[in-house]
Amino acid sequence: MRSARQPAIPRRADPAAVSAQAAMELLGQRWMLRVIWELEPGPLGFLELRRRMGNCSSSMLSVRLQALQNAGLVVKRPDKSYELARPGTELGRALEPLWSWSQRWIADAAGADPGAS
């Protein structure tokens, strides 16, 4: 007699798992999320974006912008500024809870007793 069917466990070959892993690999690269963060309020030219990125080099920013364009998250406008494409805007919205959580986490850590744990 066959046992009851077990629920499917996502595997790396599962399309949903593969797409989530691909997104994490892309966004886990240094500066990727920062670019999304800086473009979330609206379009920026390369120089202004570079200024806001702090110690990200121009060459690294160019590489990251190209990768985000290739992934369909960022577009270069005719005026040469960069903005989030629809999927990039959706990603920004999806990341808002993470950004809110991180603010609470930092605030909690700053108020934590260093001797506690």
Side-chain angles (χ1 to χ4, degrees):
M1 186 164 158
R2 293 180 62 167
S3 63
R5 184 174 215 159
Q6 296 295 316
I9 299 171
R11 303 191 190 289
R12 290 196 186 271
D14 180 331
V18 170
S19 61
Q21 184 175 358
M24 288 187 285
E25 286 175 7
L26 174 70
L27 299 172
Q29 296 175 57
R30 188 166 186 195
W31 301 112
M32 290 297 205
L33 287 174
R34 179 69 183 271
V35 172
I36 299 295
W37 172 265
E38 296 297 346
L39 291 177
E40 197 275 329
L44 291 172
F46 184 87
L47 294 177
E48 178 60 19
L49 181 57
R50 166 69 184 86
R51 186 186 69 73
R52 292 181 184 202
M53 296 288 291
N55 61 351
C56 179
S57 71
S58 293
S59 59
M60 178 57 71
L61 179 56
S62 293
V63 168
R64 295 305 186 230
L65 283 167
Q66 187 62 54
L68 290 168
Q69 288 176 81
N70 292 344
L73 299 175
V74 169
V75 294
K76 190 171 187 178
R77 296 162 34 122
D79 67 0
K80 307 272 193 227
S81 64
Y82 294 88
E83 71 178 337
L84 295 178
R86 184 188 48 76
T89 300
E90 292 171 353
L91 173 61
R93 280 192 226 119
L95 290 171
E96 285 175 7
L98 176 62
W99 289 328
S100 295
W101 171 85
S102 69
Q103 293 298 310
R104 291 188 306 275
W105 177 58
I106 293 296
D108 290 348
D113 176 6
S117 21

